[in-house]
mmCIF file of all heavy atoms in Angstrom:
data_model
loop_
_atom_site.group_PDB
_atom_site.id
_atom_site.type_symbol
_atom_site.label_atom_id
_atom_site.label_comp_id
_atom_site.label_asym_id
_atom_site.label_seq_id
_atom_site.Cartn_x
_atom_site.Cartn_y
_atom_site.Cartn_z
ATOM 1 N N ARG D 7 -39.660 29.117 -31.731
ATOM 2 C CA ARG D 7 -39.079 30.232 -32.476
ATOM 3 C C ARG D 7 -37.561 30.102 -32.637
ATOM 4 O O ARG D 7 -36.961 30.806 -33.441
ATOM 5 C CB ARG D 7 -39.410 31.560 -31.775
ATOM 6 C CG ARG D 7 -38.743 31.716 -30.417
ATOM 7 C CD ARG D 7 -39.291 32.890 -29.639
ATOM 8 N NE ARG D 7 -38.670 34.144 -30.041
ATOM 9 C CZ ARG D 7 -38.770 35.256 -29.325
ATOM 10 N NH1 ARG D 7 -39.466 35.274 -28.208
ATOM 11 N NH2 ARG D 7 -38.181 36.357 -29.726
ATOM 12 N N TRP D 8 -36.935 29.234 -31.859
ATOM 13 C CA TRP D 8 -35.482 29.109 -31.895
ATOM 14 C C TRP D 8 -35.050 27.720 -32.343
ATOM 15 O O TRP D 8 -35.624 26.719 -31.941
ATOM 16 C CB TRP D 8 -34.888 29.393 -30.508
ATOM 17 C CG TRP D 8 -35.020 30.832 -30.107
ATOM 18 C CD1 TRP D 8 -34.826 31.934 -30.885
ATOM 19 C CD2 TRP D 8 -35.391 31.312 -28.813
ATOM 20 N NE1 TRP D 8 -35.039 33.080 -30.157
ATOM 21 C CE2 TRP D 8 -35.383 32.737 -28.880
ATOM 22 C CE3 TRP D 8 -35.717 30.712 -27.608
ATOM 23 C CZ2 TRP D 8 -35.696 33.544 -27.802
ATOM 24 C CZ3 TRP D 8 -36.026 31.509 -26.519
ATOM 25 C CH2 TRP D 8 -36.023 32.908 -26.629
ATOM 26 N N LYS D 9 -33.998 27.663 -33.139
ATOM 27 C CA LYS D 9 -33.416 26.389 -33.551
ATOM 28 C C LYS D 9 -31.934 26.430 -33.230
ATOM 29 O O LYS D 9 -31.209 27.295 -33.727
ATOM 30 C CB LYS D 9 -33.627 26.149 -35.042
ATOM 31 C CG LYS D 9 -32.983 24.851 -35.543
ATOM 32 C CD LYS D 9 -33.338 24.578 -36.989
ATOM 33 C CE LYS D 9 -32.561 23.377 -37.534
ATOM 34 N NZ LYS D 9 -32.775 22.161 -36.744
ATOM 35 N N PHE D 10 -31.491 25.503 -32.410
ATOM 36 C CA PHE D 10 -30.107 25.479 -31.952
ATOM 37 C C PHE D 10 -29.271 24.568 -32.847
ATOM 38 O O PHE D 10 -29.278 23.354 -32.699
ATOM 39 C CB PHE D 10 -30.029 24.999 -30.494
ATOM 40 C CG PHE D 10 -30.702 25.926 -29.527
ATOM 41 C CD1 PHE D 10 -32.055 25.808 -29.260
ATOM 42 C CD2 PHE D 10 -29.989 26.930 -28.895
ATOM 43 C CE1 PHE D 10 -32.685 26.669 -28.373
ATOM 44 C CE2 PHE D 10 -30.612 27.800 -28.006
ATOM 45 C CZ PHE D 10 -31.967 27.666 -27.748
ATOM 46 N N GLY D 11 -28.555 25.149 -33.790
ATOM 47 C CA GLY D 11 -27.636 24.383 -34.608
ATOM 48 C C GLY D 11 -28.322 23.544 -35.666
ATOM 49 O O GLY D 11 -29.506 23.705 -35.976
ATOM 50 N N ILE D 12 -27.545 22.599 -36.212
ATOM 51 C CA ILE D 12 -28.020 21.794 -37.338
ATOM 52 C C ILE D 12 -27.990 20.296 -37.071
ATOM 53 O O ILE D 12 -28.578 19.522 -37.829
ATOM 54 C CB ILE D 12 -27.193 22.092 -38.607
ATOM 55 C CG1 ILE D 12 -25.715 21.705 -38.396
ATOM 56 C CG2 ILE D 12 -27.324 23.552 -39.007
ATOM 57 C CD1 ILE D 12 -24.874 21.842 -39.657
ATOM 58 N N LEU D 13 -27.310 19.867 -36.019
ATOM 59 C CA LEU D 13 -27.199 18.434 -35.747
ATOM 60 C C LEU D 13 -28.474 17.906 -35.092
ATOM 61 O O LEU D 13 -29.198 18.643 -34.411
ATOM 62 C CB LEU D 13 -26.000 18.153 -34.846
ATOM 63 C CG LEU D 13 -24.623 18.473 -35.421
ATOM 64 C CD1 LEU D 13 -23.538 18.219 -34.384
ATOM 65 C CD2 LEU D 13 -24.342 17.662 -36.685
ATOM 66 N N LYS D 14 -28.729 16.628 -35.276
ATOM 67 C CA LYS D 14 -29.909 15.984 -34.695
ATOM 68 C C LYS D 14 -29.755 15.838 -33.185
ATOM 69 O O LYS D 14 -28.692 15.435 -32.694
ATOM 70 C CB LYS D 14 -30.118 14.609 -35.330
ATOM 71 C CG LYS D 14 -31.371 13.893 -34.836
ATOM 72 C CD LYS D 14 -31.517 12.533 -35.503
ATOM 73 C CE LYS D 14 -32.745 11.798 -34.956
ATOM 74 N NZ LYS D 14 -32.904 10.453 -35.577
ATOM 75 N N LYS D 15 -30.831 16.135 -32.458
ATOM 76 C CA LYS D 15 -30.817 15.983 -31.006
ATOM 77 C C LYS D 15 -31.036 14.527 -30.623
ATOM 78 O O LYS D 15 -31.638 13.756 -31.372
ATOM 79 C CB LYS D 15 -31.913 16.849 -30.373
ATOM 80 C CG LYS D 15 -31.753 18.330 -30.667
ATOM 81 C CD LYS D 15 -32.875 19.141 -30.053
ATOM 82 C CE LYS D 15 -32.720 20.622 -30.414
ATOM 83 N NZ LYS D 15 -33.758 21.465 -29.784
ATOM 84 N N GLY D 16 -30.543 14.155 -29.443
ATOM 85 C CA GLY D 16 -30.800 12.822 -28.925
ATOM 86 C C GLY D 16 -32.247 12.684 -28.494
ATOM 87 O O GLY D 16 -32.987 13.669 -28.402
ATOM 88 N N PRO D 17 -32.710 11.467 -28.209
ATOM 89 C CA PRO D 17 -34.129 11.243 -27.896
ATOM 90 C C PRO D 17 -34.621 12.005 -26.674
ATOM 91 O O PRO D 17 -35.782 12.426 -26.637
ATOM 92 C CB PRO D 17 -34.212 9.724 -27.691
ATOM 93 C CG PRO D 17 -32.809 9.259 -27.508
ATOM 94 C CD PRO D 17 -31.946 10.205 -28.252
ATOM 95 N N ARG D 18 -33.789 12.211 -25.679
ATOM 96 C CA ARG D 18 -34.181 12.996 -24.504
ATOM 97 C C ARG D 18 -33.693 14.435 -24.601
ATOM 98 O O ARG D 18 -34.145 15.288 -23.852
ATOM 99 C CB ARG D 18 -33.610 12.368 -23.223
ATOM 100 C CG ARG D 18 -34.079 10.961 -22.900
ATOM 101 C CD ARG D 18 -33.461 10.492 -21.575
ATOM 102 N NE ARG D 18 -33.782 9.091 -21.331
ATOM 103 C CZ ARG D 18 -33.076 8.069 -21.788
ATOM 104 N NH1 ARG D 18 -31.992 8.290 -22.523
ATOM 105 N NH2 ARG D 18 -33.421 6.827 -21.527
ATOM 106 N N ASN D 19 -32.730 14.674 -25.454
ATOM 107 C CA ASN D 19 -32.023 15.956 -25.508
ATOM 108 C C ASN D 19 -31.402 16.275 -24.155
ATOM 109 O O ASN D 19 -31.442 17.413 -23.674
ATOM 110 C CB ASN D 19 -32.947 17.089 -25.967
ATOM 111 C CG ASN D 19 -32.180 18.311 -26.455
ATOM 112 O OD1 ASN D 19 -31.003 18.220 -26.805
ATOM 113 N ND2 ASN D 19 -32.839 19.460 -26.455
#
Side-chain angles (χ1 to χ4, degrees):
R7 67 191 278 195
W8 291 318
K9 178 174 173 57
F10 296 87
I12 63 174
L13 296 177
K14 183 180 178 181
K15 300 179 182 183
R18 298 182 186 87
N19 198 20

